[in-house]
Amino acid sequence: MAADKLEAGLGAIAQKLAGPGARIEGLKRLSGGASQETWSFDTAGSGPAQPLILRRAPGGKAVTRTGTAISLATEAAVIARAAKAGVAVPDIAYVLNDADGLGEGYVMARIEGETIARKILREEAYAEAQKGLAFACGETLAKIHSIDISGIDGLPALGLAPQIGTYLDLYDSMNEPHPVFEVAFKWLQDNRPEEASLRLVHGDFRNGNLIVGPEGLRAVLDWELAHVGDPMEDLGWICVNSWRFGESQNPVGGFGQYKDLFEGYRAAGGGEADPARVRYWEVFGTLKWGIMCMLMVSAFRTGADRSVERAAIGRRASETEIDLLNLLVRED
Amino acid sequence: MQDAPTAKELIEAVRAFLEERAMKELTGHAAFHARVAANALAIVERELEQGPRAEAEERARLAALLGHDGELGDLNAELAGKIRSGEISLEAPGLRDHLWQTTLDKVAIDQPKYSGYRTALEREKD
């Protein structure tokens, strides 16, 4: 049984982490993305229990991860480097190797807290946390963008031009013409700024990938889309209207204002954010999310994922069309 | 002609079952999926009601923009191609209105509670 093998393999790792005689308890699957599995468990032994998370390739097999995703080993190396730079991340406890027999992946600390945007934005418990969150996001992004990545292999370099090209190819491959997306691609091409000096960027810094407690930001998760790119990409992505979850008046993730994000960025040594560039990436991010919604329908149609959720998300592409029109067409 | 109930009434009945029974009696992930399923049926209901008029109007606008009639899908693809090639720009008479109206009609079916839709409607009033 695969589950027995996983339990036994993690048991052996528990002994390395918590000493001889340690075992694991409470193993349960949290989510199953197409690109990775997430499991929760605790070590139990003579010392205090350690709450942990395993992230590994599906079924423990090496697979080609989606799109521009980096390998799990690279992801672990980036997270460890982020911790050194003072970014709130889960501590990497262990990186799997061949001898563990569990495939590619790593074990990290399990941090309690909330990731669901609607709760963070609407529940009283997070009212205090919300106030400082945009500033904290700015600080965190400045620290991420300062990370020295020398010695970390496998991080793709993705400035503006290659990203626009990638998403144009994906959009064309589906052969479902969207005049609004054409307008957006044209705007992006006509208004493309010079490539920035490239830094490590998180690549998916938004609600859902941030663990928040009542006191504020606890950890940044999901580093699989990390790459070397334009730092303003991260600032633009968290402002995409889709990540505001209905709170459009607060452009930063539905909880804050641009100026709070930019002030946090400056305070942590990131320098002056470039609002025009942030807006450019916000437009690109909106288009990107729209194309991702279309791609998910492809996964439904090919049979890769026959769930209602996967099918219905295609009907969210039109939300990004209205957002693109709001951003680009009512300027006059 | 099919007997009663209409397709719309059947969908309404299934959506009511999902919302009033399934969502309440299921837990965890299954309850979430029941909600997603109910929302998907609500999209179908709105599309049955609003879709034919919206698509007829979209096709008429496209025919006016392009100077000839045709199947909706073909006209839409032709417009997309002409925007890409630069043959039609946002300054072309009628294009902005067409994109706005088409998108508003689409979101009115897909997600009428979406914040961006409300923003667009408020701008419309200004």
Side-chain angles (χ1 to χ4, degrees), chain A residues 47-61:
Chain A
Q50 294 179 43
L52 296 168
I53 293 282
L54 166 72
R55 235 163 109 80
R56 69 163 187 167
K61 297 185 191 81

Side-chain angles (χ1 to χ4, degrees), chain A residues 1-262:
Chain A
M1 287 295 291
D4 289 347
K5 194 180 163 209
L6 178 61
E7 191 134 13
L10 287 176
I13 291 168
Q15 302 206 12
K16 293 182 195 172
L17 295 176
R23 56 187 195 283
I24 68 158
E25 286 180 346
L27 179 64
K28 66 178 180 200
R29 177 99 178 250
L30 293 184
S31 73
S35 55
Q36 93 282 325
E37 288 176 12
T38 306
W39 296 81
S40 167
F41 64 100
D42 297 276
T43 62
S46 48
Q50 294 179 43
L52 296 168
I53 293 282
L54 166 72
R55 235 163 109 80
R56 69 163 187 167
K61 297 185 191 81
V63 292
T64 312
R65 301 176 88 198
T66 48
T68 55
I70 55 178
S71 75
L72 285 151
T74 303
E75 192 176 312
V78 171
I79 295 172
R81 201 66 70 85
K84 276 193 191 161
V87 178
V89 284
D91 283 331
I92 301 291
Y94 187 80
V95 179
L96 299 180
N97 59 48
D98 289 347
D100 298 313
L102 297 175
E104 200 194 345
Y106 59 89
V107 175
M108 63 181 168
R110 186 172 78 239
I111 296 177
E112 297 303 320
E114 191 54 77
T115 59
I116 298 171
R118 288 181 195 283
K119 294 191 179 179
I120 296 166
L121 296 179
R122 312 234 161 99
E123 287 184 3
E124 188 52 37
Y126 301 99
E128 242 348 268
Q130 261 197 54
K131 288 181 195 162
L133 211 45
F135 188 89
C137 286
E139 287 180 313
T140 299
L141 287 172
K143 288 178 196 166
I144 292 172
H145 300 158
S146 76
I147 292 171
D148 171 15
I149 50 158
S150 56
I152 300 179
D153 292 329
L155 281 169
L158 296 166
L160 260 173
Q163 294 210 47
I164 294 173
T166 296
Y167 279 90
L168 183 59
D169 289 347
L170 284 168
Y171 162 72
D172 281 343
S173 73
M174 291 180 279
N175 197 26
E176 287 172 41
H178 282 57
V180 174
F181 289 173
E182 297 288 345
V183 167
F185 272 119
K186 191 127 193 75
W187 186 89
L188 288 167
Q189 271 143 9
D190 292 347
N191 294 278
R192 202 171 86 207
E194 293 289 301
E195 290 287 355
S197 122
L198 303 187
R199 307 289 314 170
L200 176 71
V201 301
H202 179 277
D204 200 11
F205 192 91
R206 60 169 171 87
N207 279 320
N209 292 337
L210 306 174
I211 298 183
V212 174
E215 77 293 347
L217 182 63
R218 286 185 180 166
V220 182
L221 302 176
D222 284 338
W223 292 73
E224 70 181 66
L225 297 177
H227 57 273
V228 182
D230 180 347
M232 294 303 113
E233 177 183 354
D234 278 335
L235 279 72
W237 184 235
I238 196 180
C239 296
V240 166
N241 192 42
S242 303
W243 312 135
R244 300 181 200 170
F245 293 89
E247 307 295 329
S248 287
Q249 72 285 6
N250 297 325
V252 184
F255 48 71
Q257 300 300 313
Y258 291 109
K259 73 170 177 47
D260 303 322
L261 180 72
F262 297 168

Side-chain angles (χ1 to χ4, degrees), chain B residues 69-85:
Chain B
D69 202 358
E71 295 289 328
L72 177 58
D74 295 339
L75 294 172
N76 199 46
E78 186 179 333
L79 177 64
K82 287 189 168 174
I83 293 170
R84 183 175 302 196
S85 70

Side-chain angles (χ1 to χ4, degrees), chain A residues 168 171-172 176-180 182-183 185-186 241-248 307-310 312 314-323 325-332, chain B residues 29 32-33 36-37 40 43 47 62 73 76-77 79-81 83-86 88 90 95-100 103-104 106-107 109-111 114-120 123-124:
Chain A
L168 183 59
Y171 162 72
D172 281 343
E176 287 172 41
H178 282 57
V180 174
E182 297 288 345
V183 167
F185 272 119
K186 191 127 193 75
N241 192 42
S242 303
W243 312 135
R244 300 181 200 170
F245 293 89
E247 307 295 329
S248 287
S307 69
V308 183
E309 185 185 12
R310 192 46 64 110
R315 291 302 188 98
R316 302 198 61 182
S318 56
E319 297 178 356
T320 66
E321 289 184 302
I322 204 98
D323 288 336
L325 292 177
N326 280 328
L327 281 163
L328 298 179
V329 174
R330 273 303 160 85
E331 292 294 279
D332 44 0
Chain B
H29 223 61
F32 169 74
H33 278 282
V36 175
I43 293 174
E47 184 165 328
L62 282 164
N76 199 46
L79 177 64
I83 293 170
R84 183 175 302 196
S85 70
I88 293 185
L90 276 178
L95 182 59
R96 284 171 191 243
D97 285 348
H98 169 70
L99 296 177
W100 270 108
T103 307
L104 286 170
K106 283 173 75 173
V107 184
I109 289 169
D110 289 340
Q111 212 62 252
Y114 185 60
S115 64
Y117 179 66
R118 299 197 312 265
T119 304
R123 286 182 176 195
E124 197 90 316

Side-chain angles (χ1 to χ4, degrees), chain B:
Chain B
M1 184 174 175
Q2 299 303 126
D3 296 330
T6 62
K8 187 167 189 300
E9 286 168 328
L10 279 171
I11 292 170
E12 267 170 28
V14 178
R15 182 168 58 86
F17 163 74
L18 288 170
E19 286 174 350
E20 287 154 31
R21 294 289 300 280
M23 272 165 60
K24 288 178 183 147
E25 290 180 27
L26 292 168
T27 55
H29 223 61
F32 169 74
H33 278 282
R35 180 195 301 274
V36 175
N39 288 342
L41 288 183
I43 293 174
V44 178
E45 284 177 67
R46 289 189 295 268
E47 184 165 328
L48 285 172
E49 196 172 292
Q50 304 168 33
R53 178 197 55 78
E55 292 203 344
E57 290 176 6
E58 181 182 2
R59 182 174 155 188
R61 284 192 303 270
L62 282 164
L65 272 168
L66 297 167
H68 65 89
D69 202 358
E71 295 289 328
L72 177 58
D74 295 339
L75 294 172
N76 199 46
E78 186 179 333
L79 177 64
K82 287 189 168 174
I83 293 170
R84 183 175 302 196
S85 70
E87 204 176 322
I88 293 185
S89 80
L90 276 178
E91 315 314 319
L95 182 59
R96 284 171 191 243
D97 285 348
H98 169 70
L99 296 177
W100 270 108
Q101 199 51 57
T102 304
T103 307
L104 286 170
D105 288 346
K106 283 173 75 173
V107 184
I109 289 169
D110 289 340
Q111 212 62 252
K113 290 181 186 156
Y114 185 60
S115 64
Y117 179 66
R118 299 197 312 265
T119 304
L121 287 181
E122 280 160 24
R123 286 182 176 195
E124 197 90 316
K125 278 185 254 157
D126 292 340

